[in-house]
Amino acid sequence: MDAGLPGATYNEPIADASLCGCRHCDLLQRVPALTAGAGAHCPRCDEDIARGPSDSINRALPLTFAALIFYIIANSVPMLSLTIVGRFASTTVSGGAQQLWSDDREIVAALVLFTAVIAPALQIGVMLASLLGARSEHPPRWVGWMLKRYQFAQTWSMIEVMMLGVLVALVKIADYATVIPGIALFILGALTLLLAAVQATFDPDEVWHRIRWADESARQRAAAVPDLSIDRDGCDVTAMELGLQVCADCRILSRPGKDSEEGRCPRCNDNLSFRESNCIQRTWAFVIAAAICYIPANVLPVLTTTTATRTDSDTILQGVVLLWSPTGWPLSIIVLGASIVIPSAKILAIAYLLIGVQRGSATNNRQRTRLYRMVEFIGRWSMVDVFVDTFTAALIQL
């Protein structure tokens, strides 16, 4: 019997499998038996906490294989082509990053390459490896390790943001030359839909329930929670109030050692704690740094175009004005929202949430949770301008 990894101090799991703690608001609740395709949501913050059995592994596997094929093709054929006065040029997905690198913009080139090429490859590869490993009767522990890395890859995979950036670049370049969309552009659109379908289909809980535990002996040591009462005189009870910790990855409840604030999840070996140390201070530091960078980002030029007769430098706002036309105003509004409105709104929203936490405010918690999720969703779209300038510069230089 596996006694756990050497040197690790594991929490004691809870015997009641129906007991669940919300990963977002920590509300303790019981999840009833769910039918196929049904789902359970947290009554306090509306977080998805469980799904009914749906054979998600076998459903997601062919979609992931298709995404792999589409990814390989999309990165092998031209995405955009340009013709001007008899000259022809084309670029691939990675061509924009290569052009930035040759122009001594190494940091931006690395960011574009990672979000448009490397992260999508990691997202597809990690999901494919997880699904193949999960098909065995008792999936090995490395499958759990893969599942925990999938969230990171998914966060940084920005194909849909790149697609919007390419669309805006097409409109900008149309004033200089004739632009021809390549087959990779359409395949990337299909790939975006496939990755969304994989995410909607796959249920990681289905794998976690069968995977080998980091501490296999913990299955036999699972203990009941003494004096458990989820509803105390009509008041909600959180897992932390009962000394329990919720694993953000595999979702099981466990109890750390006596008088201990930290421990390890007995199933996925993740570090657990009641509170993340200095999280408020570190978040404030990033918010202040973002607010400082926001000003020069909107005042200084983001793109300089040099022709035989003149040199033009455009700020983000000037680019919005140049895009405005009877046919291009929707793209102008998109760039305005993604590059100016969203970053400022995100800074203000996070600052508002931090102030509420530091004041200990307990009002409008549901609205603040929705605000947090909205910030988490829209944050990636502020990368649109980076992709616009990347592919505009790549094609114009070529």
Side-chain angles (χ1 to χ4, degrees):
M1 181 178 295
D2 188 356
L5 300 179
T9 302
Y10 292 102
N11 288 359
E12 293 296 323
I14 303 306
D16 191 348
S18 67
L19 200 60
C20 174
C22 179
R23 293 179 297 176
H24 279 191
C25 69
D26 203 43
L27 179 66
L28 203 60
Q29 53 208 291
R30 293 189 185 277
V31 179
L34 300 174
T35 58
H41 296 264
C42 176
R44 183 159 70 174
C45 71
D46 203 36
E47 165 71 0
D48 182 13
I49 58 176
R51 297 187 195 177
S54 59
D55 193 25
S56 68
I57 297 174
N58 291 327
R59 292 170 58 199
L61 187 58
L63 293 173
T64 308
F65 267 119
L68 177 62
I69 295 173
F70 278 36
Y71 172 84
I72 294 174
I73 297 175
N75 284 273
S76 304
V77 298
M79 182 177 64
L80 294 173
S81 300
L82 180 147
T83 59
I84 181 171
V85 294
R87 301 186 64 182
F88 176 85
S90 63
T91 185
T92 60
V93 175
S94 59
Q98 293 174 357
Q99 186 62 51
L100 286 173
W101 189 278
S102 63
D103 291 339
D104 299 326
R105 301 291 189 271
E106 291 86 356
I107 296 177
V108 181
L111 179 62
V112 170
L113 184 67
F114 183 74
T115 55
V117 180
I118 299 176
L122 290 174
Q123 181 183 4
I124 296 171
V126 168
M127 175 56 69
L128 189 60
S130 301
L131 291 171
L132 292 174
R135 289 170 62 87
S136 61
E137 185 177 356
H138 298 290
R141 281 199 298 267
W142 63 261
V143 175
W145 187 89
M146 285 286 186
L147 285 177
K148 290 192 286 185
R149 273 57 188 180
Y150 177 76
Q151 185 62 43
F152 171 83
Q154 181 188 19
T155 299
W156 286 98
S157 176
M158 299 186 183
I159 294 179
E160 69 279 12
V161 182
M162 181 190 70
M163 292 287 291
L164 181 58
V166 169
L167 181 61
V168 177
L170 286 175
V171 177
K172 295 183 71 171
I173 299 174
D175 294 336
Y176 298 93
T178 301
V179 181
I180 305 170
I183 187 173
L185 193 62
F186 301 99
I187 293 178
L188 284 170
L191 178 59
T192 301
L193 297 177
L194 277 174
L195 292 177
V198 171
Q199 182 181 352
T201 302
F202 179 64
D203 181 13
D205 288 343
E206 188 173 334
V207 180
W208 284 117
H209 289 157
R210 298 190 294 114
I211 207 166
R212 285 188 60 198
W213 285 34
D215 184 8
E216 283 290 340
S217 62
R219 295 179 186 267
Q220 286 72 38
R221 300 199 314 268
V225 182
D227 302 325
L228 175 64
S229 176
I230 296 180
D231 185 5
R232 293 180 177 175
D233 300 325
C235 297
D236 294 333
V237 177
T238 64
M240 187 169 64
E241 289 175 338
L242 294 179
L244 304 177
Q245 294 174 340
V246 183
C247 180
D249 290 312
C250 69
R251 305 198 191 199
I252 71 165
L253 279 168
S254 59
R255 185 193 298 277
K258 187 177 180 181
D259 299 326
S260 177
E261 294 288 323
E262 299 180 351
R264 285 183 178 272
C265 176
R267 180 157 66 181
C268 71
N269 196 42
D270 198 16
N271 292 318
L272 302 179
S273 61
F274 290 113
R275 296 287 187 190
E276 188 175 347
S277 60
N278 300 322
C279 62
I280 301 296
Q281 292 84 350
R282 286 186 283 116
T283 306
W284 268 120
F286 283 119
V287 169
I288 294 172
I292 294 173
C293 293
Y294 178 80
I295 298 174
N298 287 276
V299 174
L300 299 177
V302 295
L303 185 67
T304 300
T305 305
T306 302
T307 63
T309 58
R310 63 179 183 176
T311 298
D312 295 324
S313 296
D314 297 326
T315 63
I316 294 177
L317 193 57
Q318 288 173 332
V320 171
V321 174
L322 289 174
L323 282 173
W324 189 271
S325 67
T327 57
W329 63 267
L331 292 178
S332 179
I333 293 177
I334 289 174
V335 173
L336 177 66
S339 302
I340 297 178
V341 177
I342 287 180
S344 59
K346 187 174 181 180
I347 292 171
L348 293 175
I350 296 177
Y352 166 73
L353 294 174
L354 287 170
I355 293 172
V357 170
Q358 289 184 307
R359 293 181 58 190
S361 175
T363 59
N364 301 322
N365 282 335
R366 183 183 290 269
Q367 288 75 15
R368 282 190 285 181
T369 302
R370 290 173 179 171
L371 178 62
Y372 170 77
R373 290 177 185 157
M374 185 179 298
V375 167
E376 192 176 31
F377 172 76
I378 67 173
R380 63 198 289 114
W381 292 97
S382 57
M383 278 282 293
V384 165
D385 241 13
V386 176
F387 288 113
V388 172
D389 294 342
T390 295
F391 290 102
T392 300
L395 283 175
I396 293 298
Q397 290 280 30
L398 288 171

